[in-house]
Amino acid sequence: MDISAVILAIGLIIESCVAFDPLPARENFRNAIADCKNKIDINEDEMHNVMRHIIPKTKNEQCMVACLEKKIGIMGDDNKISMDKVQEKFARMKQHREDMYNEVMKNIEECRALETTETDECVAGRKFAECMFPKITPFRPPRHFAPHFSNRYIAECKNKTGIHENEFRNYIMRQIPETKNEQCMLACTEKRIGYIGADNKINITKVEQHLVHMNKTNPELYHKILDIYTDCQAVETIETDECVAARNYAKCVFPKQKQLHPARHIGKA
């Protein structure tokens, strides 16, 4: 699996950190993944399940969840959620987006209230996942389902569009793009992975290809997501300006994504 594709991973926790401090959060998370993979003999299928927030069934998957949560400071040495560390990690978010901060704290507090004492960190990791993963069901295409959506594409599109940091945060959080830079950034990356074709319209074939694994693991969600893109494709108009096309794409796709799983799309509708 291309780990660089995991821009936003292990749910709302990492996603939120990346959005408000993108480069350090991504680098720290890549280092955490490398360290944990060295510690745990996890295979690619198991790692894929962890990154897609599938409840861990194997010991390797459970231990990987625990290891990552400890590396990023969410789980303490006592194998319980460390609220002090969580609040410290999200201090910047509280300053910029208190509504999002409150949503994150609510989810984590709910899981913390259900914790029991566990001496085995892997069991604790499984229980964390059983509570947290359903709250953060992976849904945000293309970031979770496009295996070739790498940091290289983001770097290329940032250079091409000249997008500013505040605009880039809006892009990361899948907010409706208001500025030209945001619209063009979305057009650039969606075209790189193929969700928007050369004709500036949704490419359903590419969407299906990117979601092929989900069709095996969660067919119900697969069909719901595919319905979103099919419905939006049906109301598309011809646009010669790819940035305008991306804005129209976002206006249709993003609110439907938010309705499907609101906790994953806190922000503008």
Side-chain angles (χ1 to χ4, degrees):
M1 185 177 74
D2 181 2
I3 294 303
S4 66
V6 187
I7 300 166
L8 309 176
I10 304 297
L12 197 53
I13 297 170
I14 295 298
E15 172 179 331
S16 306
C17 290
V18 169
F20 285 90
D21 202 5
L23 296 179
R26 275 201 298 273
E27 186 63 31
N28 290 342
F29 191 54
R30 281 197 295 270
N31 292 338
I33 289 173
D35 289 345
C36 290
K37 288 184 77 174
N38 287 334
K39 176 182 175 183
I40 301 160
D41 188 24
I42 192 168
N43 63 45
E44 287 302 307
D45 287 339
E46 292 171 322
M47 192 66 197
H48 187 279
N49 291 340
V50 172
M51 302 313 293
R52 266 50 181 185
H53 311 139
I54 297 170
I55 303 297
K57 296 179 180 177
T58 71
K59 190 72 171 179
N60 285 344
E61 291 170 3
Q62 295 165 12
C63 294
M64 178 59 74
V65 171
C67 182
L68 290 173
E69 296 305 321
K70 284 193 169 185
K71 288 286 185 183
I72 64 176
I74 301 302
M75 184 184 292
D77 292 335
D78 60 356
N79 298 329
K80 291 187 176 182
I81 294 171
S82 172
M83 288 309 299
D84 288 344
K85 287 287 187 182
V86 170
Q87 290 166 354
E88 178 183 328
K89 188 171 291 291
F90 290 108
R92 273 191 81 193
M93 180 196 290
K94 189 175 183 181
Q95 295 175 2
H96 296 280
R97 287 294 303 278
E98 190 168 1
D99 58 337
M100 184 181 294
Y101 173 85
N102 291 337
E103 181 71 19
V104 173
M105 293 303 113
K106 174 177 170 288
N107 284 337
I108 298 176
E109 284 282 10
E110 287 174 357
C111 292
R112 184 169 178 264
L114 298 174
E115 284 184 320
T116 55
T117 301
E118 294 293 345
T119 56
D120 185 332
E121 70 173 22
C122 303
V123 174
R126 186 201 72 217
K127 291 187 174 181
F128 174 91
E130 287 174 346
C131 178
M132 202 70 187
F133 284 9
K135 299 177 185 294
I136 54 173
T137 302
F139 171 63
R140 294 186 28 184
R143 275 176 275 277
H144 284 301
F145 304 124
H148 305 299
F149 189 66
S150 68
N151 287 345
R152 177 173 58 85
Y153 289 168
I154 288 182
E156 288 175 0
C157 292
K158 286 183 77 172
N159 288 335
K160 177 182 176 181
T161 61
I163 193 170
H164 302 298
E165 280 307 307
N166 61 323
E167 294 173 317
F168 183 66
R169 287 195 185 112
N170 292 339
Y171 160 81
I172 286 291
M173 297 314 297
R174 303 286 276 182
Q175 296 185 20
I176 302 293
E178 296 179 352
T179 70
K180 191 70 172 179
N181 285 346
E182 292 169 7
Q183 294 164 12
C184 294
M185 181 74 185
L186 181 63
C188 181
T189 53
E190 298 297 295
K191 281 195 164 186
R192 289 288 195 279
I193 63 167
Y195 276 52
I196 294 178
D199 59 356
N200 296 331
K201 291 188 174 183
I202 292 172
N203 186 333
I204 292 295
T205 301
K206 283 292 186 181
V207 174
E208 290 173 331
Q209 289 174 357
H210 287 161
L211 300 179
V212 64
H213 184 78
M214 177 187 288
N215 192 22
K216 298 176 183 177
T217 59
N218 194 338
E220 181 181 0
L221 183 59
Y222 166 83
H223 287 294
K224 287 181 179 179
I225 293 172
L226 201 59
D227 284 347
I228 289 174
Y229 284 90
T230 303
D231 291 347
C232 290
Q233 185 191 51
V235 297
E236 283 182 316
T237 56
I238 296 174
E239 293 291 348
T240 56
D241 185 329
E242 67 175 21
C243 304
V244 174
R247 183 198 66 204
N248 294 342
Y249 165 95
K251 283 184 175 180
C252 182
V253 172
F254 290 3
K256 292 178 186 292
Q257 291 178 348
K258 185 175 180 180
Q259 289 170 4
L260 185 60
H261 201 66
R264 298 284 295 159
H265 299 274
I266 305 164
K268 297 178 184 178

